[in-house]
Amino acid sequence: MSTSVENEPAPRRRRGRRPAGEVRAEVLAAAAALLFDDGMAAVTFERVSAASGASKTTLYKWWPSPGALAAEAYFDRVEQALEFPDTGDVETDLRSQLLAFTDLMTHDRAGQVVRELIGAAQGDLALRTAFAASYGRPRRDAAIRVLARARDRGQLREDAPLDVVVDQLWGACYHRLLVLDEPLSPELVDRLVHNALHGAAPAGGAAR
Amino acid sequence: MSTSVENEPAPRRRRGRRPAGEVRAEVLAAAAALLFDDGMAAVTFERVSAASGASKTTLYKWWPSPGALAAEAYFDRVEQALEFPDTGDVETDLRSQLLAFTDLMTHDRAGQVVRELIGAAQGDLALRTAFAASYGRPRRDAAIRVLARARDRGQLREDAPLDVVVDQLWGACYHRLLVLDEPLSPELVDRLVHNALHGAAPAGGAAR
């Protein structure tokens, strides 16, 4: 009997046989669907388990909290839309990535979702840590890799502060959204990129 | 009888006689004390009325919600610490104001309070509107006035985007705090100011 079972094709839902990477992808997709449809409160291990077929034990093993899962699910869901182009022209590439980002924040449910995640994180240290680790810093790292290639091509100064450029582009957008409650526009993107690259001091660089 | 009452000195708590500006200042101070001691949940019209002696009717007349009162009380409390110096050297002035700001965010209870206000505002449109109107935009206006004087002295380009400079200095700090969950340092302040004024492109300005 056991030999015959082993020879049968694994049933679709036979979870033990599915590769961990596949289970993980399904969990993240299920969590993102709950997050985007019903908000953070919907992302519980109970509901994600029911929606993905992964056991709650697995979820507890992989994520310290439902908030950490929600943060990673958000990253997973928007990663493709926020890919960094690399055409060889840093000013064009920054502008087109920022346009994709501001478009997502403005016209997609992602804008409300990220607002909810960042808002909740301010009163919840574990969620803040998870959001920074799963979203904020990986996105910054991706931007810094693109900026470092531009620097290597001579399009940025040798000593250009790449982390600061990230704060002054994407961080500036978050400032408009979270603190000033103002919309993002393509015109703002142009002005942010121009000032981060060329500065507000007069040409020649003497600000004094 | 009524004549004799009128001739008596007004009792200390005879509210009708106090100038509105004085009452308003006491209300804001009482609300700030509750906010800084016990957090946003403590700022109710009930408790602020009891602590300040102003009637709840007055509070309802002056503020649309306790959140709006909390936002203005925060502004009122930190305004002096965040004054903009104007020594005539824009780079020095920006650096010293940002050091005062990052010091307040890091070493004062104000850091937790503003985090709580901005966090709660993300799920509460009325609070977000009130916080932007009572804190975010007045602070930006104050910074822009200082930057405009620097531009008039020739220390910034004629067409320098002053609102963008604000996003790229104070907004960049909020990005570190709220999204990246990273501490602010004097060294970061130097790098933010330098890049906002001089840019990341090579000298000569050609980023392509």
Side-chain angles (χ1 to χ4, degrees):
Chain A
M1 272 302 268
S2 79
T3 308
S4 126
V5 166
E6 277 169 14
N7 287 340
E8 277 173 17
R12 216 183 142 266
R13 277 303 191 194
R14 178 118 173 219
R15 291 161 210 150
R17 299 288 176 89
R18 290 191 294 161
E22 188 185 303
V23 177
R24 198 176 178 95
E26 285 185 20
V27 169
L28 289 172
L34 288 165
L35 180 64
F36 276 65
D37 288 348
D38 299 320
M40 272 193 68
V43 185
T44 63
F45 283 168
E46 188 81 41
R47 290 186 66 175
V48 174
S49 170
S52 66
S55 73
K56 284 213 286 179
T57 310
T58 299
L59 302 187
Y60 277 106
K61 205 169 59 185
W62 286 349
W63 288 280
S65 67
L69 170 54
E72 188 174 336
Y74 178 77
F75 179 86
D76 190 63
R77 172 77 157 248
V78 300
E79 194 175 11
Q80 203 167 5
L82 296 184
E83 258 180 20
F84 282 86
D86 193 0
T87 66
D89 176 332
V90 68
E91 200 151 349
T92 302
D93 287 347
L94 288 176
R95 202 180 288 122
S96 58
Q97 203 287 339
L98 274 160
L99 283 172
F101 171 71
T102 58
D103 192 60
L104 194 76
M105 292 299 104
T106 306
H107 300 299
D108 190 279
R109 173 96 177 109
Q112 279 95 63
V113 170
V114 79
R115 187 191 286 288
E116 194 187 358
L117 278 166
I118 296 173
Q122 302 318 311
D124 177 342
L125 180 60
L127 178 58
R128 191 153 78 241
T129 306
F131 185 76
S134 301
Y135 181 77
R137 294 182 204 155
R139 295 292 322 159
R140 172 171 65 182
D141 292 345
I144 285 179
R145 283 193 294 274
V146 170
L147 293 168
R149 286 199 292 272
R151 183 188 56 198
D152 296 345
R153 288 193 302 264
Q155 297 180 332
L156 298 179
R157 292 198 323 264
E158 275 294 323
D159 62 348
L162 306 186
D163 57 333
V164 157
V165 172
V166 174
D167 293 321
Q168 295 188 328
L169 294 176
W170 292 272
C173 292
Y174 283 116
H175 184 234
R176 296 264 169 162
L177 287 174
L178 304 175
V179 177
L180 296 171
D181 193 32
E182 288 180 347
L184 305 175
S185 68
E187 187 251 350
L188 175 66
V189 165
D190 283 348
R191 297 165 70 231
L192 287 171
V193 171
H194 190 272
N195 202 67
L197 293 179
H198 304 292
R208 300 183 182 233
Chain B
M1 271 304 268
S2 81
T3 308
S4 127
V5 166
E6 278 169 12
N7 287 339
E8 278 172 19
R12 218 184 139 266
R13 279 302 192 193
R14 179 120 174 217
R15 291 159 212 151
R17 297 286 174 91
R18 290 191 294 159
E22 189 186 301
V23 177
R24 199 177 176 95
E26 287 185 19
V27 169
L28 289 172
L34 289 165
L35 180 64
F36 275 66
D37 288 348
D38 299 321
M40 271 194 68
V43 185
T44 63
F45 283 167
E46 188 81 39
R47 291 186 65 176
V48 174
S49 169
S52 67
S55 72
K56 285 213 286 180
T57 310
T58 299
L59 302 188
Y60 277 107
K61 205 169 59 187
W62 286 349
W63 288 279
S65 67
L69 170 54
E72 189 174 336
Y74 178 78
F75 179 84
D76 190 62
R77 173 77 158 249
V78 299
E79 193 175 12
Q80 204 167 4
L82 296 184
E83 259 180 20
F84 282 87
D86 193 0
T87 66
D89 176 332
V90 68
E91 200 151 348
T92 302
D93 288 347
L94 288 176
R95 202 179 288 122
S96 58
Q97 204 287 339
L98 274 160
L99 283 172
F101 171 71
T102 57
D103 192 58
L104 194 76
M105 292 298 104
T106 307
H107 300 298
D108 190 280
R109 173 98 177 105
Q112 279 95 64
V113 171
V114 79
R115 187 191 284 290
E116 194 187 357
L117 278 166
I118 296 174
Q122 303 318 312
D124 178 341
L125 179 59
L127 178 58
R128 191 153 79 240
T129 306
F131 184 77
S134 301
Y135 182 77
R137 294 182 205 155
R139 294 294 320 160
R140 173 171 64 181
D141 292 345
I144 285 179
R145 284 192 294 274
V146 171
L147 292 169
R149 286 198 291 272
R151 182 189 56 198
D152 295 345
R153 289 193 302 263
Q155 296 180 334
L156 298 179
R157 292 199 323 266
E158 275 293 324
D159 62 348
L162 307 186
D163 57 332
V164 157
V165 172
V166 174
D167 293 321
Q168 294 188 328
L169 294 177
W170 292 272
C173 292
Y174 283 116
H175 184 234
R176 295 264 168 161
L177 287 173
L178 304 175
V179 177
L180 296 171
D181 193 31
E182 287 181 347
L184 304 174
S185 68
E187 187 251 349
L188 174 66
V189 165
D190 283 347
R191 298 164 71 230
L192 287 171
V193 171
H194 190 271
N195 202 66
L197 293 180
H198 304 291
R208 295 175 186 241

